[in-house]
Every structure is written in C-alpha cells, then in structure tokens.
Amino acid sequence: DVKVTQSSRYLVKRTGEKVFLECVQDMDHENMFWYRQDPGLGLRLIYFSYDVKMKEKGDIPEGYSVSREKKERFSLILESASTNQTSMYLCASSTSGTSGSYEQFFGPGTRLTVL
Amino acid sequence: AQSVSQHNHHVILSEAASLELGCNYSYGGTVNLFWYVQYPGQHLQLLLKYFSGDPLVKGIKGFEAEFIKSKFSFNLRKPSVQWSDTAEYFCAVQNHNTDKLIFGTGTRLQVFP
C-alpha cells in the first residue's frame, strides 16, 4: 500500500522559531511536493523536488526553503516562522511524468499554528 | 498563467439528490485532469483521473466526470449522493510539460440524511 507520512499531525510554534516539517514516502517516487492548504484558497504549491538535491519553486515559496538529501525524504523549513504561516501543510509524491503515471499521493497533513 | 476554477464553493444536498460540481481550467494544450476528495479528518485521495481516451471517466464510489475539451471543463457527477459523500472536492489540472498540479479552490459538499 502506498504511503506518504508526515512527522507531525499538529505543531504549535512561536513567531521567529525555525520549523522543520518532514515527509517520507515509501514508493520510490522521483517527485515530491509541499503544499499549503487554506480555506477558500485550495492547495498552493510551495516547493517541488524532482530528484535528490533538486528543487523548484512553486507558487508561494517566500518564507520557505526545502531539503532533499535522500530520495524518500523531503523537508520543508520555515526559517523564521510568522503568524501568516499558520496553515495545513500537505506533502505529496509522484512518479516522474516520463513513466506515464502522474497521480500524486498525499500525506495526512501537518496543521501548524504559529503564535 | 494556468488556473482552475471551481464555481461552487459550498453545496448542500439531501441524500439521493444528484450532484454536479463544476471545474473549468485555462490552458490551451494537452492536459491531464483529476478530482481529489478529502473526507473530514482524512488525507486527500484520488477520486478519478483523465489522461486520454474516453472523455467520460468513472471513479470510485459511483463518481464520474466528463472532459469537454471545447469548454475546458471537467465536471464531476454522481446520480445519487449519500451522507458519506460529505467532503471537500478538489479539481486539479496538469499540463503535459510538467509533473506539477494546479488545484482549484475546492468545493465543500454537505449531504444531509
């Protein structure tokens, strides 16, 4: 069974803290994604990684960075958390488009609150 | 820039009513199309997808969607909804030049017994 796991379901941090969100997939997928989900705004892509150590900015990368040192793990980093980063963060993975399957598989999400 | 529009933000139905959720996208090239569903407290999961071939696609739990290329639409339908269909539904589009998805803003469906 396909599995994408995220390190925490709920996280509370203070303004200015450095925050790490971890995501692990066990499907040997090339692609991994970080989204944030906000009511009325849907899912917005923060960053995308198509290979180890490779990354690409999404639609809203400001205030975030990512790290992908191993194929199965993709980390989202908030260098200095701010209250407007309070949100639900979703991680997803997929095979590369060249293999013909484009479905993204999602983790359960991390609800981050920044006080 | 590509975009996806879901016109219905919140839909309330009684059980056994028919459902149609609209989805329109703006991209002139070849696309892959998806509907994802998020049940309360659960992770996002794929409901159905269209890559090519028959424009009428059948998914899980009795859902179907029709791709109408001339209208840039991929509407989701179910002839008779159940209380368990209460969830948020997201349409997503992917163009063939990228592995990224563009999501709509979602439609919250509430079904009352």
Side-chain angles (χ1 to χ4, degrees):
Chain A
D1 196 20
V2 158
K3 209 84 181 264
V4 179
T5 56
Q6 294 183 228
S7 51
S8 306
R9 289 301 300 269
Y10 299 93
L11 210 52
V12 179
K13 295 291 180 180
R14 296 210 174 271
T15 302
E17 279 193 82
K18 190 169 185 175
V19 182
F20 293 87
L21 302 182
E22 305 283 339
C23 175
V24 177
Q25 51 97 2
D26 65 359
M27 296 162 283
D28 201 36
H29 283 168
E30 294 85 1
N31 299 328
M32 296 188 75
F33 307 83
W34 275 108
Y35 296 89
R36 63 178 283 177
Q37 182 181 7
D38 299 289
L41 297 178
L43 277 73
R44 294 178 292 166
L45 182 65
I46 304 171
Y47 266 98
F48 159 48
S49 170
Y50 49 91
D51 202 350
V52 175
K53 298 189 186 294
M54 306 305 286
K55 61 185 179 186
E56 190 175 306
K57 290 180 181 179
D59 300 317
I60 51 164
E62 297 78 19
Y64 304 95
S65 61
V66 290
S67 172
R68 193 163 179 206
E69 298 295 319
K70 294 185 177 181
K71 191 175 185 181
E72 67 271 18
R73 188 179 297 269
F74 191 34
S75 303
L76 180 69
I77 303 153
L78 288 67
E79 294 289 341
S80 177
S82 63
T83 54
N84 62 13
Q85 292 178 309
T86 291
S87 186
M88 172 71 88
Y89 290 87
L90 300 180
C91 176
S93 71
S94 75
T95 57
S96 165
T98 55
S99 66
S101 176
Y102 304 86
E103 176 185 351
Q104 290 186 18
F105 296 86
F106 284 82
T110 295
R111 186 168 293 283
L112 172 68
T113 302
V114 183
L115 302 174
Chain B
Q2 294 176 70
S3 65
V4 178
S5 297
Q6 291 183 243
H7 314 294
N8 317 102
H9 300 294
H10 190 190
V11 173
I12 301 173
L13 294 173
S14 298
E15 272 192 322
S18 64
L19 171 72
E20 180 159 2
L21 301 183
C23 173
N24 287 88
Y25 64 93
S26 65
Y27 180 70
T30 305
V31 293
N32 297 323
L33 298 156
F34 305 82
W35 276 97
Y36 280 85
V37 61
Q38 188 173 36
Y39 297 103
Q42 295 188 28
H43 64 274
L44 217 65
Q45 56 188 285
L46 185 69
L47 201 54
L48 49 76
K49 60 189 177 188
Y50 172 81
F51 291 167
S52 64
D54 188 346
L56 185 61
V57 179
K58 295 198 184 296
I60 60 171
K61 304 190 181 188
F63 285 91
E64 65 178 31
E66 185 176 12
F67 170 48
I68 303 179
K69 191 174 182 180
S70 60
K71 294 185 178 180
F72 300 91
S73 71
F74 190 54
N75 292 353
L76 182 70
R77 299 194 292 247
K78 186 170 183 179
S80 176
V81 293
Q82 300 173 310
W83 176 78
S84 58
D85 293 325
T86 294
E88 190 153 20
Y89 293 81
F90 294 92
C91 180
V93 172
Q94 177 187 55
N95 76 56
H96 276 200
N97 297 323
T98 178
D99 290 339
K100 295 187 284 188
L101 294 179
I102 307 295
F103 282 86
T105 52
T107 297
R108 184 171 166 229
L109 171 66
Q110 280 185 290
V111 180
F112 289 96

